[in-house]
Amino acid sequence: MNQLPHLAEIFDRLKRGYHLGPDDEPEFSALQARSDDYAAYFAALGLTLVRHEREFYYFEPDNPENVPDTLPRIAVFSYIVIDHAANQGRPIEEYIFGQNFLMTALPHFALDRYATLLRQVDMHEMSDVKILLNRMEQIGWVKWLGPDEFRFLRPFHRVFSKCIEIVQAANSQGNAAGAANASQNPPTSSSAKE
Amino acid sequence: MRRWRRCRGRRCEGVRSADRWQVGPTLGNRAVERAAAIFADLWRSERSIGKLRAAPISLNMKVNPQSFFNFCAHHAPLLHALAEHGGELSDAEALRLIRLNPSAAEELPETTWRRLRELQILVPTEPGGALFFLADPVARLLTYLYNEANPATPEMIRGCVLSLETTGKRLARALDEEDVQQVKLAFEDISQPLRRIYADLNETQRAILAEVARFKTERSRVSVREKYQRIVHWMERYVEPMIEVVRPDGQLRAAFDETERLLHRAREEALFNDNLALVRNLRFLRLVGGHALRVFMQCRKEIQPLFESLRRSSFIAEGAARALEKLQTDGLSKWGNEYLIGLAALRFQNVPSDAAIALALRRVVDHPPQPPPVVQFSTEKDNPTELVRLMWLDSLPDLVRGDLPLQDLMAWLVRKFPERDTSDVLTGFSGLLFHRDFQAAFADATPRAYHTPDGEITASPLTLASA
C-alpha cells in the first residue's frame, strides 16, 4: 500500500477538485493500474475515490451548506453549451468532444436568453467566461490550446451524467404523480372490462 | 371520364427488374418501350393487388402508353419536381412548377398543364376539385426510376400474409375437391403476395438505410430532440413491429409453413408436380422466408447505434434544458443544489502547525518525572452509624416477638432502647406497625407522653400482637 506510485501528486490534485483523465499522465496510468488500491488508501482517510464510467477519477464531493459561487457558474455555462449543441442537431458528445472551441465564438452572449441566465450567476461579459474557463481548467474539464482556443476534456462527462440524472428524476417524479393520480382515479367499469 | 382513384401507401410491383435506366430528354425508344411494358405491368398488378389493399384503384380512362411516355420523356425534370413536392397542389402551384421546369419541346405552360391532366399524371383529389396530386402509379414509377424507396409498414406485410393465408385455404379446398383449375389459379395467386413481400422488404431496407445515411450526413439545423423523435418513429413504426411479423415464430413464418405444406401436398398428389408456378412458389417461399428476418435484423443493427446515440443526446439535451428553464423561471435562489455538479474541496480546519507539534513533543520529552501517587488502603474499625441504625431497625421484629402481646408499643420502645432519639423511635414504631407478622390497634385511651433523649412524644397507646 505504501508503494502506491505518484500518491502525493494524485492526492494533491484530487483534493482540490481536479479530475484526473487520460490527459494527466503519469498519474492517470498509475490510477488505472491500481485504482482499487488507491481507493482503499483514500477510504481510510475518509475520502471516496470515484471512477467514472467514462474512465476518469475524482474525489466524491461533500454536500457543503455554503455552495461556492463557481459551481452555479460552471453549471449554467455547461448547460448553455449543451443547449446550443442540441440545437445544432448533432449528437451532443460528438459536438462537445469532436472539436476545439474559440472563446469568442461561444454562444453564451449571442442569445439574450443565455445572457439573461448568465447574469443570474453574476457573469456579464466574456472576461467572466474566461475566468470561469480558467477555473474549469483547474478542475480538469477544459484545456487551453491557445489564448482564445480550448477544448473540453473527458471529465466534462460529469455534466452529461448530471443532465441524465435530472431527466431520470423528473421522469420518476412524473411516474409517481401518475401512479398517485391512478390510485385516486380508479378505472371505470368500462375500462375495467377492456 | 374515368379516373385513377387516390390510393396512398402503395408501391410498385412488377418493377423489380435489376435493369435501371435514365429517364429524361435523352430517353430512347428502347427505354420508352421498356418503361411502357413496366407501366402496363404496373396497371395489371394494380388491378390484382387492389384486392389486397384497402382502397382499390379503378382505371376509368385508357391512357395511350406511347403518348404517356413521350410526354414523360420531354418532362422528366417536371415529373421529378412533382414527385418531390408530394401531397396536394393547386393549379397555380402546378403551373409554377411547370414554369420552373420547362419542357424541352418549348410548349406553353398551359399546354403542359392540360396534358398532365389528360394523361392522368395529375388527378384531382375529388371529382371537380381544385386540388391535384400525382397519381399513385406514376409516383411509384418515379420512385422506382429515381431509385428512391418507401418503407413498407407492418400492416402492409400483414395484409400480404393475410392474402397468402386466404389463398392457402382456397388451395386446400381445391386440393380436397381435386379442382385442377382452382389449384392452378391458387398457384398464381400465391406468387403475387410473395413477390410483393419480397419487394416490400427490399424497399423497406433501402428506405431505412437511406434514412440512416441521411441522419449521419444531415447538417441541417434540426434539433437533437427532433432527430431522436424521428429515429424513434422509425424504430417503433417500421423496424420493431416488422421483426415481430417476420421472426421465426411470427405470423409470416406460420403462413409460409402452411403454404409450403399445401404446395408439397399438391406436388405429392402428382397432379401438379410439373407445374412451374408450384416450383417457383416453393423456391420463392424459402427465399423470402430466410430473407425477411435477415433484412430486418440488418436494419436494426444499422439503426440501433444511431438510436442509442440520439437517445443519449436527447436525454442530455433535455436535462440541460430543464435545468436552464428552472433557473429562468425560479431564479438562482430557488435553483437548488440538484442542478449543480459538486466538486471536492478538502478544507483543513484547526490543524496544528509543525512548530506547534514540535513544541508539544518537546514538552512531553522534557517533562520532569514525578513519583506515582500512593493510595492508602485501610479498613474502618467502627461500623458506620447509618449501617448500625439500619441493622437495629431490621432486628426490631425479632426483638419484639418475644414480648408479644404488648399493650403499649411506644412504651416498650422507649423502655427497651432509651438511647434512641425521637426519629429512631418513630421509625421503629412505624416499621413494627406495618410489619406483616404483627397486628396493631390503637387502644381507646387517653394520650400519654413518652420521653426520649431529645424530646417527648404524645400518643395514644398501641397494642401489638402476632398476626
Side-chain angles (χ1 to χ4, degrees), chain A residues 85-86 88-92 94-95 98-99, chain B residues 218-219 222 224 227 313:
Chain A
Q88 304 305 304
R90 290 169 59 188
I92 307 285
E94 178 192 312
Y95 179 88
Q99 61 179 325
Chain B
E218 193 175 56
R219 293 291 172 197
V222 180
V224 165
K227 275 188 171 180
S313 285

Side-chain angles (χ1 to χ4, degrees), chain A residues 15 17 79 86 89 92-93 158, chain B residues 222 224 227 312-313 339 342 344 346:
Chain A
K15 79 179 185 194
Y79 292 145
I92 307 285
E93 286 151 297
R158 284 204 61 204
Chain B
V222 180
V224 165
K227 275 188 171 180
R312 182 171 164 80
S313 285
Y339 298 104
L346 218 57

